[in-house]
Amino acid sequence: MAYVPNLRFRSFSENWTRYCASDLLESVTTNSLTWDDLNYDSGIVKNIHYGLIHKGFTETCISDKNPLIPWINGEKALKNYTLVGLGDLILADASEDRKDVGKPIEIIDTHCVTVSGLHTIHAKDKTDYFIPGYKGFYFQSSSMKNQIYKIANGSKIYGISPNAFNELYISIPNKNEQAKIVDLLIKIEERISTQNKIIEDYSLLKDSIIHQTFSMDYTKVKLSALLTEVSVRNKEEHINNVLSVSNKLGFIKQSEQFEDREVASNDTSNYKIVSKGDYAYNPARINVGSIARLIHYDKGIISPMYSCFRIDLNKITYTYFDMFLNSSSFNRQLNKRLEGSVRQCLTFEGMLSMSIELPPIEIQKSISDKIDMLNDIIKIEIDYRTALIKQKQYLLNNLFI
């Protein structure tokens, strides 16, 4: 029976070979230095912290010259250590998310004196079966991740130890096929990185326009002249579209925000009714961005803890007000009006007391058109990045056994 992946390059037909990971890899000693022991200014030895694998590196195959890798503070210099070398695999051995245990990077370029640090497994090849990069991508494949998921243990924090190599299996094609796989996946990751830069540049342009707009000497108007509170209740319980406000996604169905539990009361008669174009914010979370305009639904209901309002479209455009919510002017005023000791809140009265730099409606519309165009471009670029990430995941799931 053929032992081959679901997807492969046409020029290859040979069976792959399956090995126990412990026959191919050996783990070496790592250190337990924390971020307090590291710096980005200077040093002799660099240190790969597991936090960089989870949240820092955007590509699988890296050079130890990567500027994200910090130096070890002089007084913490290690006496005994194993250097990171070409083709070494570094795994994050712990995570709050079980699916991220064993997240990898692989070193494909070495120029510095570098060691592997806290909560990592540093593995070196026992054989010459691999080309640089193959292991890093293999450990992201569903074939390997499913194996790690089964053996990761813990309650709040899941983890694996170097002994896991005795329970994990790696399947390998010949080196020419490995090279084709690695080359393709590296190119996709590079394109994703380019896409991130494109999105970042457009976002910076948008932020610059917002900053410039609210630095202009326009007439300042109190929000009390522009906003009207919305407090109509769902007394007849005719509306059952229960919504929440996410600081990243805006208005979403409450069932999507709290997938693992039902948080809405069985009695929604006291919930507030919101219509398309209305705004809502969580008074205790507005400082982390929990405010949004209802766009995707005609109507919904939201917990009475939210403050809801609509704007006077004869005086201000939706986009211009959204710009204000993302401006430093709004954030400065917000921080001055937060109340409370343990959990700071913004009352609706506090919101109404804010001021906004308000040009004539014709100027607002002109500025809004530019921002709307940028928002459309950014969405297109984000959608394309999402497609690239899905493509990479599909390849990881099908190019390996």
Side-chain angles (χ1 to χ4, degrees), residues 340-355:
S341 55
V342 178
R343 177 167 288 190
Q344 294 189 308
C345 300
L346 177 71
T347 64
F348 188 61
E349 290 73 20
M351 173 71 82
L352 293 178
S353 70
M354 292 187 187
S355 298

mmCIF file with all atom_site columns, all heavy atoms in Angstrom, residues 340-355:
data_model
loop_
_atom_site.group_PDB
_atom_site.id
_atom_site.type_symbol
_atom_site.label_atom_id
_atom_site.label_alt_id
_atom_site.label_comp_id
_atom_site.label_asym_id
_atom_site.label_entity_id
_atom_site.label_seq_id
_atom_site.pdbx_PDB_ins_code
_atom_site.Cartn_x
_atom_site.Cartn_y
_atom_site.Cartn_z
_atom_site.occupancy
_atom_site.B_iso_or_equiv
_atom_site.pdbx_formal_charge
_atom_site.auth_seq_id
_atom_site.auth_comp_id
_atom_site.auth_asym_id
_atom_site.auth_atom_id
_atom_site.pdbx_PDB_model_num
ATOM 1   N N   . GLY A 1 340 ? -14.296 55.274 38.975 1.00 0.00 ? 340 GLY A N   1
ATOM 2   C CA  . GLY A 1 340 ? -14.239 53.998 39.677 1.00 0.00 ? 340 GLY A CA  1
ATOM 3   C C   . GLY A 1 340 ? -12.832 53.666 40.112 1.00 0.00 ? 340 GLY A C   1
ATOM 4   O O   . GLY A 1 340 ? -11.861 54.120 39.516 1.00 0.00 ? 340 GLY A O   1
ATOM 5   N N   . SER A 1 341 ? -12.717 52.837 41.130 1.00 0.00 ? 341 SER A N   1
ATOM 6   C CA  . SER A 1 341 ? -11.409 52.469 41.672 1.00 0.00 ? 341 SER A CA  1
ATOM 7   C C   . SER A 1 341 ? -10.936 51.138 41.107 1.00 0.00 ? 341 SER A C   1
ATOM 8   O O   . SER A 1 341 ? -9.867  51.042 40.507 1.00 0.00 ? 341 SER A O   1
ATOM 9   C CB  . SER A 1 341 ? -11.460 52.410 43.197 1.00 0.00 ? 341 SER A CB  1
ATOM 10  O OG  . SER A 1 341 ? -12.502 51.532 43.621 1.00 0.00 ? 341 SER A OG  1
ATOM 11  N N   . VAL A 1 342 ? -11.755 50.093 41.268 1.00 0.00 ? 342 VAL A N   1
ATOM 12  C CA  . VAL A 1 342 ? -11.352 48.770 40.790 1.00 0.00 ? 342 VAL A CA  1
ATOM 13  C C   . VAL A 1 342 ? -11.566 48.657 39.284 1.00 0.00 ? 342 VAL A C   1
ATOM 14  O O   . VAL A 1 342 ? -10.664 48.347 38.528 1.00 0.00 ? 342 VAL A O   1
ATOM 15  C CB  . VAL A 1 342 ? -12.150 47.664 41.514 1.00 0.00 ? 342 VAL A CB  1
ATOM 16  C CG1 . VAL A 1 342 ? -11.752 46.288 40.966 1.00 0.00 ? 342 VAL A CG1 1
ATOM 17  C CG2 . VAL A 1 342 ? -11.892 47.736 43.014 1.00 0.00 ? 342 VAL A CG2 1
ATOM 18  N N   . ARG A 1 343 ? -12.791 48.945 38.823 1.00 0.00 ? 343 ARG A N   1
ATOM 19  C CA  . ARG A 1 343 ? -13.103 48.896 37.400 1.00 0.00 ? 343 ARG A CA  1
ATOM 20  C C   . ARG A 1 343 ? -13.557 50.271 36.955 1.00 0.00 ? 343 ARG A C   1
ATOM 21  O O   . ARG A 1 343 ? -14.592 50.757 37.387 1.00 0.00 ? 343 ARG A O   1
ATOM 22  C CB  . ARG A 1 343 ? -14.184 47.848 37.125 1.00 0.00 ? 343 ARG A CB  1
ATOM 23  C CG  . ARG A 1 343 ? -14.614 47.802 35.678 1.00 0.00 ? 343 ARG A CG  1
ATOM 24  C CD  . ARG A 1 343 ? -15.424 46.585 35.347 1.00 0.00 ? 343 ARG A CD  1
ATOM 25  N NE  . ARG A 1 343 ? -14.601 45.375 35.315 1.00 0.00 ? 343 ARG A NE  1
ATOM 26  C CZ  . ARG A 1 343 ? -15.023 44.206 34.874 1.00 0.00 ? 343 ARG A CZ  1
ATOM 27  N NH1 . ARG A 1 343 ? -16.248 44.064 34.432 1.00 0.00 ? 343 ARG A NH1 1
ATOM 28  N NH2 . ARG A 1 343 ? -14.221 43.164 34.876 1.00 0.00 ? 343 ARG A NH2 1
ATOM 29  N N   . GLN A 1 344 ? -12.769 50.887 36.103 1.00 0.00 ? 344 GLN A N   1
ATOM 30  C CA  . GLN A 1 344 ? -13.071 52.244 35.664 1.00 0.00 ? 344 GLN A CA  1
ATOM 31  C C   . GLN A 1 344 ? -14.118 52.240 34.556 1.00 0.00 ? 344 GLN A C   1
ATOM 32  O O   . GLN A 1 344 ? -14.041 51.440 33.620 1.00 0.00 ? 344 GLN A O   1
ATOM 33  C CB  . GLN A 1 344 ? -11.802 52.935 35.193 1.00 0.00 ? 344 GLN A CB  1
ATOM 34  C CG  . GLN A 1 344 ? -10.798 53.169 36.326 1.00 0.00 ? 344 GLN A CG  1
ATOM 35  C CD  . GLN A 1 344 ? -9.653  54.049 35.896 1.00 0.00 ? 344 GLN A CD  1
ATOM 36  O OE1 . GLN A 1 344 ? -9.014  53.793 34.884 1.00 0.00 ? 344 GLN A OE1 1
ATOM 37  N NE2 . GLN A 1 344 ? -9.402  55.105 36.647 1.00 0.00 ? 344 GLN A NE2 1
ATOM 38  N N   . CYS A 1 345 ? -15.085 53.118 34.680 1.00 0.00 ? 345 CYS A N   1
ATOM 39  C CA  . CYS A 1 345 ? -16.223 53.152 33.752 1.00 0.00 ? 345 CYS A CA  1
ATOM 40  C C   . CYS A 1 345 ? -16.412 54.548 33.174 1.00 0.00 ? 345 CYS A C   1
ATOM 41  O O   . CYS A 1 345 ? -16.030 55.549 33.793 1.00 0.00 ? 345 CYS A O   1
ATOM 42  C CB  . CYS A 1 345 ? -17.514 52.737 34.474 1.00 0.00 ? 345 CYS A CB  1
ATOM 43  S SG  . CYS A 1 345 ? -17.471 51.073 35.167 1.00 0.00 ? 345 CYS A SG  1
ATOM 44  N N   . LEU A 1 346 ? -17.033 54.609 32.006 1.00 0.00 ? 346 LEU A N   1
ATOM 45  C CA  . LEU A 1 346 ? -17.427 55.871 31.406 1.00 0.00 ? 346 LEU A CA  1
ATOM 46  C C   . LEU A 1 346 ? -18.946 55.941 31.403 1.00 0.00 ? 346 LEU A C   1
ATOM 47  O O   . LEU A 1 346 ? -19.603 55.166 30.699 1.00 0.00 ? 346 LEU A O   1
ATOM 48  C CB  . LEU A 1 346 ? -16.904 55.998 29.964 1.00 0.00 ? 346 LEU A CB  1
ATOM 49  C CG  . LEU A 1 346 ? -17.344 57.280 29.243 1.00 0.00 ? 346 LEU A CG  1
ATOM 50  C CD1 . LEU A 1 346 ? -16.623 58.495 29.821 1.00 0.00 ? 346 LEU A CD1 1
ATOM 51  C CD2 . LEU A 1 346 ? -17.100 57.172 27.740 1.00 0.00 ? 346 LEU A CD2 1
ATOM 52  N N   . THR A 1 347 ? -19.507 56.834 32.176 1.00 0.00 ? 347 THR A N   1
ATOM 53  C CA  . THR A 1 347 ? -20.955 57.026 32.174 1.00 0.00 ? 347 THR A CA  1
ATOM 54  C C   . THR A 1 347 ? -21.366 57.702 30.870 1.00 0.00 ? 347 THR A C   1
ATOM 55  O O   . THR A 1 347 ? -20.543 58.315 30.178 1.00 0.00 ? 347 THR A O   1
ATOM 56  C CB  . THR A 1 347 ? -21.389 57.896 33.361 1.00 0.00 ? 347 THR A CB  1
ATOM 57  O OG1 . THR A 1 347 ? -20.819 59.209 33.199 1.00 0.00 ? 347 THR A OG1 1
ATOM 58  C CG2 . THR A 1 347 ? -20.917 57.295 34.680 1.00 0.00 ? 347 THR A CG2 1
ATOM 59  N N   . PHE A 1 348 ? -22.668 57.617 30.558 1.00 0.00 ? 348 PHE A N   1
ATOM 60  C CA  . PHE A 1 348 ? -23.124 58.280 29.334 1.00 0.00 ? 348 PHE A CA  1
ATOM 61  C C   . PHE A 1 348 ? -23.017 59.791 29.499 1.00 0.00 ? 348 PHE A C   1
ATOM 62  O O   . PHE A 1 348 ? -22.736 60.510 28.529 1.00 0.00 ? 348 PHE A O   1
ATOM 63  C CB  . PHE A 1 348 ? -24.568 57.879 29.009 1.00 0.00 ? 348 PHE A CB  1
ATOM 64  C CG  . PHE A 1 348 ? -25.022 58.385 27.670 1.00 0.00 ? 348 PHE A CG  1
ATOM 65  C CD1 . PHE A 1 348 ? -24.375 57.986 26.505 1.00 0.00 ? 348 PHE A CD1 1
ATOM 66  C CD2 . PHE A 1 348 ? -26.066 59.286 27.571 1.00 0.00 ? 348 PHE A CD2 1
ATOM 67  C CE1 . PHE A 1 348 ? -24.776 58.470 25.264 1.00 0.00 ? 348 PHE A CE1 1
ATOM 68  C CE2 . PHE A 1 348 ? -26.481 59.765 26.332 1.00 0.00 ? 348 PHE A CE2 1
ATOM 69  C CZ  . PHE A 1 348 ? -25.831 59.355 25.181 1.00 0.00 ? 348 PHE A CZ  1
ATOM 70  N N   . GLU A 1 349 ? -23.203 60.276 30.725 1.00 0.00 ? 349 GLU A N   1
ATOM 71  C CA  . GLU A 1 349 ? -23.020 61.713 30.978 1.00 0.00 ? 349 GLU A CA  1
ATOM 72  C C   . GLU A 1 349 ? -21.580 62.118 30.697 1.00 0.00 ? 349 GLU A C   1
ATOM 73  O O   . GLU A 1 349 ? -21.311 63.216 30.174 1.00 0.00 ? 349 GLU A O   1
ATOM 74  C CB  . GLU A 1 349 ? -23.403 62.056 32.425 1.00 0.00 ? 349 GLU A CB  1
ATOM 75  C CG  . GLU A 1 349 ? -24.891 61.960 32.730 1.00 0.00 ? 349 GLU A CG  1
ATOM 76  C CD  . GLU A 1 349 ? -25.395 60.531 32.809 1.00 0.00 ? 349 GLU A CD  1
ATOM 77  O OE1 . GLU A 1 349 ? -24.553 59.598 33.010 1.00 0.00 ? 349 GLU A OE1 1
ATOM 78  O OE2 . GLU A 1 349 ? -26.608 60.319 32.635 1.00 0.00 ? 349 GLU A OE2 1
ATOM 79  N N   . GLY A 1 350 ? -20.649 61.232 31.050 1.00 0.00 ? 350 GLY A N   1
ATOM 80  C CA  . GLY A 1 350 ? -19.247 61.501 30.756 1.00 0.00 ? 350 GLY A CA  1
ATOM 81  C C   . GLY A 1 350 ? -18.993 61.565 29.259 1.00 0.00 ? 350 GLY A C   1
ATOM 82  O O   . GLY A 1 350 ? -18.230 62.410 28.776 1.00 0.00 ? 350 GLY A O   1
ATOM 83  N N   . MET A 1 351 ? -19.621 60.661 28.510 1.00 0.00 ? 351 MET A N   1
ATOM 84  C CA  . MET A 1 351 ? -19.505 60.682 27.056 1.00 0.00 ? 351 MET A CA  1
ATOM 85  C C   . MET A 1 351 ? -20.040 61.994 26.493 1.00 0.00 ? 351 MET A C   1
ATOM 86  O O   . MET A 1 351 ? -19.404 62.646 25.654 1.00 0.00 ? 351 MET A O   1
ATOM 87  C CB  . MET A 1 351 ? -20.271 59.492 26.462 1.00 0.00 ? 351 MET A CB  1
ATOM 88  C CG  . MET A 1 351 ? -20.378 59.499 24.936 1.00 0.00 ? 351 MET A CG  1
ATOM 89  S SD  . MET A 1 351 ? -18.821 59.144 24.081 1.00 0.00 ? 351 MET A SD  1
ATOM 90  C CE  . MET A 1 351 ? -18.811 57.345 24.166 1.00 0.00 ? 351 MET A CE  1
ATOM 91  N N   . LEU A 1 352 ? -21.218 62.430 26.972 1.00 0.00 ? 352 LEU A N   1
ATOM 92  C CA  . LEU A 1 352 ? -21.839 63.649 26.455 1.00 0.00 ? 352 LEU A CA  1
ATOM 93  C C   . LEU A 1 352 ? -21.012 64.897 26.743 1.00 0.00 ? 352 LEU A C   1
ATOM 94  O O   . LEU A 1 352 ? -21.096 65.891 26.018 1.00 0.00 ? 352 LEU A O   1
ATOM 95  C CB  . LEU A 1 352 ? -23.236 63.826 27.050 1.00 0.00 ? 352 LEU A CB  1
ATOM 96  C CG  . LEU A 1 352 ? -24.291 62.795 26.626 1.00 0.00 ? 352 LEU A CG  1
ATOM 97  C CD1 . LEU A 1 352 ? -25.613 63.069 27.348 1.00 0.00 ? 352 LEU A CD1 1
ATOM 98  C CD2 . LEU A 1 352 ? -24.500 62.799 25.118 1.00 0.00 ? 352 LEU A CD2 1
ATOM 99  N N   . SER A 1 353 ? -20.191 64.848 27.792 1.00 0.00 ? 353 SER A N   1
ATOM 100 C CA  . SER A 1 353 ? -19.400 66.022 28.163 1.00 0.00 ? 353 SER A CA  1
ATOM 101 C C   . SER A 1 353 ? -18.158 66.193 27.301 1.00 0.00 ? 353 SER A C   1
ATOM 102 O O   . SER A 1 353 ? -17.474 67.211 27.376 1.00 0.00 ? 353 SER A O   1
ATOM 103 C CB  . SER A 1 353 ? -18.988 65.934 29.632 1.00 0.00 ? 353 SER A CB  1
ATOM 104 O OG  . SER A 1 353 ? -18.017 64.909 29.828 1.00 0.00 ? 353 SER A OG  1
ATOM 105 N N   . MET A 1 354 ? -17.831 65.190 26.463 1.00 0.00 ? 354 MET A N   1
ATOM 106 C CA  . MET A 1 354 ? -16.661 65.301 25.587 1.00 0.00 ? 354 MET A CA  1
ATOM 107 C C   . MET A 1 354 ? -16.910 66.314 24.470 1.00 0.00 ? 354 MET A C   1
ATOM 108 O O   . MET A 1 354 ? -18.051 66.608 24.121 1.00 0.00 ? 354 MET A O   1
ATOM 109 C CB  . MET A 1 354 ? -16.328 63.938 24.966 1.00 0.00 ? 354 MET A CB  1
ATOM 110 C CG  . MET A 1 354 ? -15.817 62.911 25.940 1.00 0.00 ? 354 MET A CG  1
ATOM 111 S SD  . MET A 1 354 ? -15.281 61.430 25.032 1.00 0.00 ? 354 MET A SD  1
ATOM 112 C CE  . MET A 1 354 ? -14.948 60.315 26.391 1.00 0.00 ? 354 MET A CE  1
ATOM 113 N N   . SER A 1 355 ? -15.805 66.791 23.893 1.00 0.00 ? 355 SER A N   1
ATOM 114 C CA  . SER A 1 355 ? -15.884 67.730 22.771 1.00 0.00 ? 355 SER A CA  1
ATOM 115 C C   . SER A 1 355 ? -15.237 67.112 21.547 1.00 0.00 ? 355 SER A C   1
ATOM 116 O O   . SER A 1 355 ? -14.307 66.306 21.652 1.00 0.00 ? 355 SER A O   1
ATOM 117 C CB  . SER A 1 355 ? -15.160 69.042 23.105 1.00 0.00 ? 355 SER A CB  1
ATOM 118 O OG  . SER A 1 355 ? -15.776 69.684 24.201 1.00 0.00 ? 355 SER A OG  1
#
